[in-house]
Structure formats: structure tokens, C-alpha cells
Amino acid sequence: MTPIVFHPFICRSDNYGLLLHDPETGATASVDAPDAAAIASHLEARGWKLTHIFTTHHHQDHIEGNEALKQRFGCIIIGPRAEAAQIPAIDQSVSGGDQISWSGHTLSVLNCPGHTKGHIAFHLPSDQAVFAGDTLFSLGCGRVFEGTMDEMYRSVSQFGELPPDTRLFCGHEYTQSNARFALAVEPGNAALQQRAVEVDRLRAAGQMTCPSTTGQELATNPFLRTGSAEIRRALKLDSASDAEVFAELRRRKDTFK
Ligand code: ZN
Ligand code: FE
């Protein structure tokens, strides 16, 4: 199996576009479709033809390009079963536990309710990569719009159970503002301090901060660190459950300035 080529880029101000390309077969997938014109121009620049779209959830900034890209490339759109009615031009719906065979590679589908009810993620173990949509961001996680805090806690925690060298591709470039919140609740975390410096340097140079790895996130992302004594002290939740710590972190992040 030839390694998949990953091409991430930023569009619509802070959305990540991501193209996956198999140089052996020519198969090319877009993870979500935030911006049809931007995706088409990144494809064109590489001479790639879009064969698939993997949709994580129904929000407009993840599906807006579906119709136009389908019209132009005739690509197959695979998305969350529980949101199939809200995914334009969807061909195939999947849910947690399903496996997708793509260009000789296998993607496993993870259910990630919380940000939206039917949100899914795609894990590509052969290439050490996971596509998390708006569930897990570098140093943060998505807002809980449709599901419960408990659901979001479990959805986010799953990523911490993947092999630590798994590259985390997420839906938005929010790392710099996430770092400010993470440092506010765990200022003594040396790995986090280092990551924040690196993120500032990358953003100042106009570069992307993703992908990170799930191992890096376990060491730095407060939403995967609900057992941290420092975080628990900061929240005055020393003996609370992990799910309670998670919920309090998420609530505080919602109003953090
Ligand atoms: Zn979203
Ligand atoms: Fe989004």
C-alpha cells in the first residue's frame, strides 16, 4: 500500500480543507467541503481529480461545497447516517463501527455526538491519521450544540485512545486562541507552554498548526486532561468525575475572553 499524501489548507478564514490522495490509484478525497472553489483550485494545482468527499457533520461550513463539487467531479459523498437528510448530495451514509474501503485503504467510522447529534470522525489507521471535524481541535474541542456534555466527553475521549502517533486533522485552525484557554487552566504544563510558543511562531509566519498528534494532544489539550491535578485545582473540582471536569472546562471555554 502506497502512503496517502495529505494536503491540508485553510479556507473561509479559519476552516481546514484537507485532501487525501493515493498516488498509486489517483483516488482523491476531500474531508468535508467548506469551500468548493478553494478545494477545486488546490486539486487543479496538483492535477488531482476529486473522487470522494468524507463529511463529518451537517454544519454549513462543512457541506457548502458538496453540490458544486459533485456537479464538477461526480465524486461520491459519504457522510453521517444520523444527519443524512441534512447532507446535500449524499450517496452513502455511515455510522460508528462501520468500515469504509477507499482505494485499498480502510477507514473506520467513529460516532462523535455532541457538537452535532450525528457527528462522525474517520480513522485511517494504515496512515496514522484521524479526521476529527469539529469534535476535537488542537488544544481544544468543539462547542456542544446538539448533544449533551456527557456525550461530548465520550466523543472527545475516544481520540485519546488511538495510537499516540495518530495525526489529528481537525475542522478549524483555532489553536492559538485554544492555547490561551489551555494555559489559563493549566499554566504549569511544560509541554503546553512549549506548544503555545510553537503555535505563536507558526501563526506569525502564516503557517498551519495542524496536524498535531493524539499523543501531543494528550499531553497538552485540557479536554483530554480531565485527570490533571492542576486543572482540577484551578476549577475547584478535585474529587469530581472526569465527565464533570470536562463539562466545566467546556462551559468556561464558552465564555472565556
Ligand atoms: Zn461545526
Ligand atoms: Fe465548523
Side-chain angles (χ1 to χ4, degrees):
M1 244 178 339
T2 323
I4 297 299
V5 177
F6 296 94
H7 177 66
F9 55 93
I10 292 173
C11 55
R12 295 182 73 116
S13 85
D14 59 29
N15 271 87
Y16 267 110
L18 174 64
L19 297 173
L20 318 180
H21 178 72
D22 183 341
E24 195 175 314
T25 65
T28 304
S30 177
V31 176
D32 287 327
D35 180 335
I39 291 167
S41 82
H42 281 272
L43 286 162
E44 227 157 70
R46 279 151 198 85
W48 297 348
K49 184 186 168 301
L50 192 66
T51 58
H52 294 79
I53 296 173
F54 301 134
T55 302
T56 60
H57 67 294
H58 70 81
H59 283 161
Q60 192 63 21
D61 60 314
H62 298 258
I63 51 105
E64 196 166 272
N66 280 17
E67 305 266 15
L69 290 168
K70 174 125 189 166
Q71 224 160 57
R72 177 151 173 192
F73 296 99
C75 52
I76 293 166
I77 302 180
I78 302 175
R81 180 163 297 133
E83 297 179 1
Q86 297 154 281
I87 311 296
I90 189 169
D91 294 289
Q92 191 187 333
S93 56
V94 293
S95 60
D98 287 349
Q99 304 224 311
I100 300 163
S101 174
W102 176 71
S103 191
H105 297 247
T106 301
L107 291 136
S108 305
V109 179
L110 308 177
N111 275 339
C112 301
H115 179 70
T116 64
K117 269 276 172 212
H119 193 301
I120 56 173
F122 302 89
H123 181 213
L124 181 62
S126 59
D127 295 80
Q128 297 85 42
V130 70
F131 316 121
D134 287 358
T135 296
L136 182 65
F137 300 126
S138 185
L139 301 185
C141 75
R143 276 181 191 258
V144 178
F145 287 123
E146 297 179 9
T148 66
M149 286 290 188
D150 277 346
E151 284 175 325
M152 190 65 167
Y153 166 67
R154 286 192 295 273
S155 295
V156 165
S157 299
Q158 299 177 90
F159 292 90
E161 289 154 21
L162 299 175
D165 60 347
T166 307
R167 285 170 284 185
L168 172 71
F169 291 95
C170 51
H172 291 269
E173 173 62 62
Y174 289 156
T175 318
Q176 200 164 30
S177 58
N178 288 344
R180 289 180 35 249
F181 176 76
L183 281 169
V185 292
E186 200 179 19
N189 179 339
L192 172 60
Q193 294 163 4
Q194 270 177 33
R195 172 70 169 148
V197 169
E198 184 203 13
V199 165
D200 286 343
R201 181 182 59 75
L202 286 168
R203 295 310 289 152
Q207 289 173 22
M208 297 174 282
T209 65
C210 296
S212 60
T213 64
T214 50
Q216 270 182 290
E217 294 304 319
L218 278 171
T220 54
N221 187 325
F223 295 94
L224 286 172
R225 296 179 55 73
T226 51
S228 151
E230 188 179 13
I231 290 177
R232 286 168 166 260
R233 258 197 319 276
L235 304 183
K236 300 191 172 61
L237 286 177
D238 297 82
S239 55
S241 70
D242 289 303
E244 286 168 338
V245 173
F246 176 91
E248 181 60 17
L249 283 170
R250 187 57 265 180
R251 280 191 288 268
R252 288 193 184 206
K253 177 71 163 62
D254 285 347
T255 54
F256 182 76
K257 291 258 181 330

